[in-house]
Amino acid sequence: MLYEHKDECCLADESELLTVPDGWKEPQFTKDDNPRGLLEESSFATLFPKYREAYLKECWPLVQKALGEIFINATLDLIEGSITVNTTKKTFDPYAIIRARDLIKLLARSVPFEQARAKAAVRILQDDMACDIIKIGSLVRNRERFVKRRQRLIGPKGSTLKALELLTNCYVLVQGNTVSALGPYSGLKEVRKVVLDTMKNIHPIYNIKTLMIKRELANDPDLCTQSWERFLPNFRHKSLSKRQQPKKKKVKKEYTPFPPAQPESKVDRELASGEFFLRESEKKRRKLNEIKVKQAEALSRKQEERKKAFIPPKEKPAVKKTKKAPAVDKLDIQAIKDKVKKAKNKKLGAPPQKPAVPPVDGKKKKKSKS
């Protein structure tokens, strides 16, 4: 009994350890966690295009201030067109240089440092934020097709991109041959899937509809532990090729590295049958016998063909033709008699006679008089 009780306690402790309590957040990394700092200096650099030079000049003091809070040094080189970030002796967070690298990458890819109400690029310095720069330039060969699909991702007046941002809690910017995304890890995964599917000619509205259904299902506590496949839509990709297919398709033979076998020569055939070892006289006798057999077969065939002309054809059995009895018309004799009577009574040019009125009884006449 004691062992069973101990096992139940162990299982309960494990379940408590595996479940994350509601509202729990990972504690922030502070200087107390790493009081001695870093041993080596790390640095990252990135290039930026010429048209970003004016904006970076304007917002550079704000960038230095934001990076100074985590003890990261940043330098802007306008001659070479590059931004460099490096750690200092006061830097205590080892991951701070990675966040600073992501920040300068986003600034080079035209992500604004400060957006309306919420800071866009500075959010990368937070612990629960990450970024993803998706390269889409090499996914579609045709330039016109690439521009159409990129515009499809943005949508009319940016509506598709705005819907994607609301569903994934990410900031998404389409610029040139890249798509920059900034937000939580789960949202970045969905953004990458939608962007790559759009470049593969799958409309983003299908993925947005799936995300909306998933968002509604996540709010239901009963369905959190169940599979959502029966609720999600299954969109089939219809690939209709306009190319005409040939009526007869040639089936390719299986490739074999070995060449085909050589045909047997006359000597090989004689060796196989044993004729090679016979004398010349025997060979001649055999050939004559073969010729005689062939001649006899040909003669019998010709005789059979000649005999065919003398074979009478098969006669068809005689069938007696039966004469059909003439159809007796059923005459209505009474109708003919009536017609003749009417013709006799009718005089030429006289008006048609009125039918005779039947006589009325005497009682009825008296009543009518009175």
Side-chain angles (χ1 to χ4, degrees), residues 25-30 33 127:
K25 285 185 179 181
E26 192 177 351
Q28 197 173 2
F29 194 85
T30 59
D33 298 322
D127 287 338

Side-chain angles (χ1 to χ4, degrees), residues 1-19:
M1 293 293 287
L2 288 169
Y3 290 117
E4 288 178 2
H5 182 67
K6 282 182 181 179
D7 291 338
E8 286 176 3
C9 291
C10 290
L11 289 169
D13 293 338
E14 284 180 5
S15 63
E16 285 177 4
L17 289 169
L18 291 170
T19 54

Side-chain angles (χ1 to χ4, degrees), residues 110-366:
S110 301
V111 176
F113 182 77
E114 283 187 3
Q115 207 182 6
R117 294 184 184 179
K119 295 180 180 180
V122 188
R123 285 197 299 166
I124 195 66
L125 300 177
Q126 298 173 10
D127 287 338
D128 57 343
M129 287 291 162
C131 76
D132 190 9
I133 295 170
I134 307 156
K135 293 178 181 179
I136 58 172
S138 60
L139 296 176
V140 184
R141 290 183 181 180
N142 192 353
R143 186 66 188 174
E144 292 179 5
R145 198 175 293 167
F146 168 74
V147 171
K148 281 182 181 178
R149 291 181 187 178
R150 186 179 63 182
Q151 186 59 37
R152 193 184 295 167
L153 180 63
I154 297 165
K157 298 181 181 179
S159 58
T160 308
L161 206 64
K162 188 69 180 173
L164 188 62
E165 287 179 354
L166 290 169
L167 290 166
T168 57
N169 296 324
C170 294
Y171 172 79
V172 186
L173 177 74
V174 181
Q175 177 71 21
N177 293 334
T178 59
V179 177
S180 304
L182 173 69
Y185 292 98
S186 59
L188 291 175
K189 189 179 177 182
E190 297 294 341
V191 169
R192 176 171 274 275
K193 184 180 180 297
V194 173
V195 170
L196 294 177
D197 283 352
T198 306
M199 289 295 119
K200 290 175 186 175
N201 202 19
I202 298 169
H203 204 281
I205 196 68
Y206 299 134
N207 287 311
I208 286 169
K209 192 174 182 181
T210 306
L211 287 171
M212 288 171 71
I213 294 166
K214 282 182 179 178
R215 193 176 186 180
E216 291 295 325
L217 293 169
N219 295 330
D220 194 347
D222 298 332
L223 297 170
C224 285
T225 55
Q226 295 180 16
S227 177
W228 294 349
E229 287 183 3
R230 64 180 188 274
F231 300 109
L232 299 177
N234 186 17
F235 299 109
R236 292 181 181 177
H237 185 66
K238 293 180 181 178
S239 57
L240 302 171
S241 60
K242 294 179 182 178
R243 183 186 168 190
Q244 290 182 351
Q245 299 293 333
K247 289 182 179 178
K248 293 181 181 179
K249 291 185 179 180
K250 292 180 180 179
V251 181
K252 289 185 178 180
K253 295 178 181 178
E254 291 184 2
Y255 172 74
T256 53
F258 307 105
Q262 288 184 351
E264 287 185 348
S265 63
K266 188 179 178 181
V267 178
D268 292 335
R269 286 196 295 272
E270 285 180 356
L271 285 166
S273 62
E275 291 179 16
F276 185 78
F277 305 103
L278 296 173
R279 292 177 187 176
E280 289 293 326
S281 59
E282 289 182 5
K283 284 182 183 179
K284 285 180 182 179
R285 198 183 304 134
R286 277 197 175 188
K287 279 184 181 179
L288 286 169
N289 290 334
E290 285 176 4
I291 290 165
K292 284 178 181 178
V293 168
K294 283 181 181 178
Q295 284 177 351
E297 286 177 359
L299 188 65
S300 63
R301 228 181 286 127
K302 282 182 181 179
Q303 285 177 356
E304 284 176 3
E305 285 178 3
R306 284 172 188 167
K307 284 177 183 178
K308 280 180 184 178
F310 300 102
I311 297 167
K314 290 182 179 180
E315 294 181 0
K316 292 181 180 179
V319 180
K320 290 182 179 180
K321 291 183 179 180
T322 55
K323 290 183 179 181
K324 290 182 179 179
V328 181
D329 295 333
K330 292 181 179 180
L331 298 171
D332 195 354
I333 297 161
Q334 190 64 34
I336 292 165
K337 283 180 180 179
D338 294 340
K339 202 179 268 187
V340 171
K341 278 182 184 179
K342 281 180 184 178
K344 283 179 181 179
N345 295 332
K346 200 174 182 182
K347 292 178 181 179
L348 290 169
Q353 292 179 357
K354 289 182 181 180
V357 181
V360 186
D361 297 339
K363 290 180 181 180
K364 287 182 180 178
K365 282 181 182 180
K366 287 177 183 178

